[in-house]
Amino acid sequence: MDNFYSFKFTHSQALAALHTGQADPIKYYQARRDLFQLSLMADYDQLVCLPTLTKIDKHWYQIETARKVLRQLGGRALLADEVGLGKTIEAGLICAEYIARGQIQSLLVLTPASLVSQWQLELADKFNIDTVTTDSKQLQENTDDFWTSNPRIIASLNTAKSSKHFPYVTKRNWDLVIVDEAHHLKNRSTLNWKLVNALNKRFILMLTATPVQNSLVELFNLLTLLKPGLLQTEAAFKKEYVSSKNGRVPKNPEKLRQLMREVMIRNTRSLVDVKLPKRFATTITVTPSQQEEKLYQDLTQYLRSQQSLDKFSRTNLLMRAGSSSRALAESLKNLAKRLPSDEIKTLTKRAAQIKQVEKAKALVDLLKQSKQKTIVFTTHRATSSYLASTLESAGIPFAEFLGDMSLNQKDAAIAAFKDSVPVLLASETGGEGRNIQFANAIVNYDLPWNPMKIEQRIGRIHRIGQTQDVFIFNFCLQGSIEEYILGILHDKINMFELVVGEIETILGQVDDEFDFSEVVMDIWLKNQSQAELNTAFGQLADELLKAKEQYRETSELDEQIFGEEFEA
């Protein structure tokens, strides 16, 4: 050995006891451990969960929000940060801290159906909190067992409030309840509000960027769930704090704000000084080959005629058709095993025979011209594998970041992307929780139909710490459902110019359970001609534009009422 190390220990009573083999009974250790735990619980100056959370950006205002909820608000709070500042992260921090301190066992997260899986993924990946959801088969097989045996549940608000499940949800005790999109509880006469009011809950967090949408009475209804009696009765609240007939102008605003500070935190972008570079989006519409176009059209006709085929299979096939012929062939092959038919066999054979993909050619052309560090996102492994061989043949250096790779392989991929190669070929989770702001271009080679997933992809590089303008290239085939989706998201509501997170809030304005991907699939299958499709998608665009305007009006109202007086 070239190096030798020596250690010198200072004499102590503990060292002497160790040397002579002396030990106290285990009960003394347990007593000291319990005393240490009590001292932790008495002081929230430090969040003990933070060292274990390696997959989140720890922003100061989010940590301060968590500390304030724990120390001053007693674990019952309305988190009303402006869109894009990370209310989900704040709720996750509070939840993880309570778990780390042993203060909670049971958890219930109530959210719109479209966000159930997203919440499960976020809690597991970023906070190491495992949950079950109301999408689980266990719920259908044994309802009583589902609600009584699982300690941590994420539930669709619509499912939980239904007559079948309401008694189960409200029968048990919950240590912590988290309600996302809490503006859906603004009306006390609805089942949404009645469900949350009936829950046996110790701690409760309610998340919304728009606590008041129409009237100050909505604020009264929300805060009454958090701290019953804080604002007395509705009649007393109106008399004391509402000055206009429409209920939008506050009276005694300073006194009202003083009361709201007992239960509410609202961080604003101006306070936290979030200044992100601009982002620019481009839609690249690729003309398919005759072979590709005919296959896509025939698949669409097949799906329109097969009403008996389950919704998941139809959606999956159409999404894969928009991704690559290889991904489509893989799914058709699996479907043929389950539902043997000559039509499926023929479609499978035709998909497998397509060797040259026009969209892949367009990608190669783009990457050869680009001087930016670029992440190419794909949803399906078959597509990723095809692109890997295509880039290799084109002589374009790249690294791969795939979900099933080991941690060391992922680290090596990010290091190679940073230091030596211009392209990272990534799966849906590519770069999550990692510092990859050195890249400033994203290619959505296949387009998720869920706008929030598109936003999550962009958020890998368009985030605090990014110093360059960000460029987004969205690929789609001419005449595909993705072309219509981008026509709405990009051309109509300018999604890529919105603040991170605003698209989610806008979609929430449409309806409590509005699911964009389900709606576009429904339109695609029900309308045959191009004229019919143009009309139906145009109506959807108009509906979303109306929701966007409502969101703008609500944001202005909330700004007037709350200002910047509720920061952590």
Side-chain angles (χ1 to χ4, degrees):
M1 290 178 62
D2 295 332
N3 299 309
F4 294 89
Y5 299 93
S6 61
F7 300 91
K8 184 176 181 180
F9 295 97
T10 304
H11 178 76
S12 68
Q13 190 176 355
L15 188 63
L18 181 65
H19 182 69
T20 58
Q22 293 176 319
D24 284 332
I26 188 69
K27 65 180 181 181
Y28 293 140
Y29 162 75
Q30 290 170 336
R32 290 194 61 145
R33 185 195 62 192
D34 292 344
L35 183 63
F36 177 69
Q37 290 284 356
L38 285 170
S39 69
L40 280 180
M41 284 190 274
D43 182 11
Y44 290 105
D45 277 344
Q46 299 297 324
L47 299 185
V48 298
C49 71
L50 281 182
T52 68
L53 306 179
T54 59
K55 292 188 176 180
I56 60 169
D57 297 324
K58 303 177 179 77
H59 299 305
W60 67 267
Y61 65 91
Q62 294 170 339
I63 294 170
E64 286 302 313
T65 294
R67 288 176 60 210
K68 185 171 182 178
V69 171
L70 295 162
R71 293 175 67 185
Q72 298 177 30
L73 306 187
R76 301 176 76 92
L78 178 65
L79 304 181
D81 290 3
E82 285 186 330
V83 166
L85 296 184
K87 292 180 288 297
T88 305
I89 297 295
E90 291 166 355
L93 278 172
I94 295 163
C95 183
E97 187 68 15
Y98 275 139
I99 290 172
R101 291 169 180 264
Q103 289 181 267
I104 67 168
Q105 297 296 323
S106 58
L107 166 70
L108 174 65
V109 179
L110 295 171
T111 180
S114 59
L115 300 179
V116 167
S117 59
Q118 184 177 316
W119 264 93
Q120 185 180 37
L121 193 65
E122 293 256 316
L123 288 181
D125 288 356
K126 295 180 178 176
F127 300 98
N128 308 310
I129 299 171
D130 292 326
T131 58
V132 298
T133 77
T134 46
D135 295 333
S136 164
K137 287 183 180 178
Q138 185 191 2
L139 183 65
Q140 279 74 44
E141 292 168 357
N142 191 328
T143 303
D144 181 67
D145 188 55
F146 175 85
W147 287 111
T148 56
S149 67
N150 293 306
R152 298 168 188 166
I153 296 174
I154 300 174
S156 153
L157 188 56
N158 261 13
T159 299
K161 74 182 182 184
S162 67
S163 57
K164 180 179 178 181
H165 299 288
F166 192 108
Y168 292 103
V169 188
T170 55
K171 182 171 64 176
R172 68 178 285 186
N173 293 321
W174 300 98
D175 293 326
L176 172 61
V177 172
I178 299 173
V179 185
D180 195 13
E181 304 295 333
H183 46 270
H184 294 312
L185 311 180
K186 63 188 179 184
N187 188 335
R188 272 193 306 164
S189 65
T190 62
L191 269 176
N192 289 347
W193 191 94
K194 290 174 182 177
L195 170 71
V196 176
N197 187 52
L199 292 173
N200 299 307
K201 52 198 178 289
R202 182 178 170 203
F203 304 124
I204 177 171
L205 304 174
M206 303 202 310
L207 285 55
T208 176
T210 53
V212 178
Q213 295 182 310
N214 298 297
S215 162
L216 283 164
V217 172
E218 295 168 355
L219 182 66
F220 169 83
N221 292 336
L222 291 177
L223 300 192
T224 297
L225 289 172
L226 290 167
K227 200 167 183 179
L230 175 70
L231 300 174
Q232 300 180 358
T233 65
E234 182 179 332
F237 172 78
K238 286 180 176 178
K239 183 177 180 181
E240 183 76 15
Y241 300 112
V242 183
S243 68
S244 62
K245 287 183 179 180
N246 64 10
R248 296 164 72 95
V249 181
K251 184 166 62 175
N252 298 324
E254 188 47 49
K255 185 178 178 182
L256 177 59
R257 285 171 181 163
Q258 193 62 42
L259 287 172
M260 286 193 293
R261 289 188 189 102
E262 295 182 28
V263 289
M264 178 175 165
I265 297 175
R266 180 175 174 83
N267 295 308
T268 61
R269 279 187 291 278
S270 59
L271 168 85
V272 303
D273 197 27
V274 174
K275 291 188 177 72
L276 291 178
K278 292 178 181 178
R279 57 186 191 182
F280 301 92
T282 302
T283 297
I284 298 178
T285 306
V286 178
T287 303
S289 66
Q290 286 186 343
Q291 200 178 6
E292 288 176 308
E293 184 178 21
K294 188 72 168 66
L295 175 63
Y296 195 93
Q297 290 172 348
D298 290 349
L299 175 70
T300 295
Q301 289 307 318
Y302 171 74
L303 296 176
R304 284 171 177 161
S305 67
Q306 295 296 315
Q307 296 299 320
S308 59
L309 189 62
D310 64 279
K311 183 171 67 175
F312 173 81
S313 294
R314 289 196 290 176
T315 301
N316 182 50
L317 286 171
L318 202 55
M319 281 184 171
R320 282 175 169 260
S323 180
S324 72
S325 53
R326 277 202 188 178
L328 175 61
E330 188 178 77
S331 272
L332 285 168
K333 191 175 179 181
N334 291 331
L335 183 64
K337 293 175 185 176
R338 185 160 55 94
L339 299 170
S341 81
D342 291 339
E343 199 165 2
I344 294 175
K345 284 181 183 177
T346 302
L347 288 170
T348 306
K349 186 178 179 180
R350 287 170 59 190
Q353 286 173 342
I354 295 175
K355 303 301 180 186
Q356 288 285 354
V357 177
E358 293 301 317
K359 205 163 62 156
K361 289 183 189 176
L363 175 66
V364 168
D365 291 342
L366 174 71
L367 294 177
K368 282 186 173 179
Q369 295 172 32
S370 174
K371 295 180 181 179
Q372 319 291 338
K373 289 278 188 181
T374 304
I375 305 177
V376 179
F377 277 108
T378 60
T379 305
H380 306 290
R381 186 62 184 265
T383 303
S384 180
S385 176
Y386 174 75
L387 287 183
S389 60
T390 301
L391 296 184
E392 199 170 333
S393 299
I396 298 174
F398 66 96
E400 285 189 275
F401 190 109
L402 304 173
D404 58 359
M405 287 167 53
S406 69
L407 187 59
N408 286 340
Q409 288 173 320
K410 289 177 179 177
D411 289 342
I414 296 296
F417 182 42
K418 183 176 183 181
D419 299 330
S420 58
V421 300
V423 177
L424 182 70
L425 192 56
S427 64
E428 205 66 62
T429 57
E432 188 166 14
R434 292 168 183 267
N435 183 4
I436 51 172
Q437 288 95 314
F438 57 84
N440 72 317
I442 280 177
V443 172
N444 287 312
Y445 183 79
D446 51 18
L447 191 79
W449 295 0
N450 183 339
M452 275 82 90
K453 285 191 175 181
I454 301 173
E455 192 68 81
Q456 285 168 3
R457 286 180 173 183
I458 298 167
R460 302 283 194 273
I461 62 172
H462 192 242
R463 61 200 302 174
I464 296 171
Q466 178 61 265
T467 58
Q468 309 171 80
D469 288 341
V470 169
F471 298 91
I472 305 145
F473 300 95
N474 298 307
F475 277 63
C476 67
L477 281 176
Q478 189 176 37
S480 67
I481 189 171
E482 287 83 9
E483 184 180 19
Y484 282 95
I485 289 171
L486 284 169
I488 292 175
L489 297 181
H490 187 189
D491 302 336
K492 294 292 185 181
I493 62 173
N494 302 317
M495 168 184 163
F496 301 99
E497 296 176 17
L498 298 172
V499 172
V500 174
E502 279 189 319
I503 185 64
E504 183 178 328
T505 308
I506 289 168
L507 295 179
Q509 295 277 335
V510 178
D511 184 75
D512 286 11
E513 297 297 319
F514 178 79
D515 189 315
F516 182 83
S517 58
E518 286 190 8
V519 171
V520 296
M521 183 64 174
D522 193 50
I523 289 173
W524 186 260
L525 294 180
K526 284 184 177 178
N527 296 276
Q528 300 276 343
S529 69
Q530 188 171 347
E532 290 173 338
L533 286 168
N534 290 342
T535 299
F537 278 107
Q539 289 171 347
L540 175 59
D542 291 342
E543 193 174 4
L544 292 179
L545 283 171
K546 183 180 177 183
K548 182 180 178 182
E549 184 55 34
Q550 288 173 342
Y551 163 69
R552 293 284 184 225
E553 291 175 2
T554 298
S555 297
E556 289 172 7
L557 176 61
D558 286 338
E559 178 63 28
Q560 291 171 12
I561 295 171
F562 305 117
E564 296 183 355
E565 299 189 25
F566 296 92
E567 294 95 343

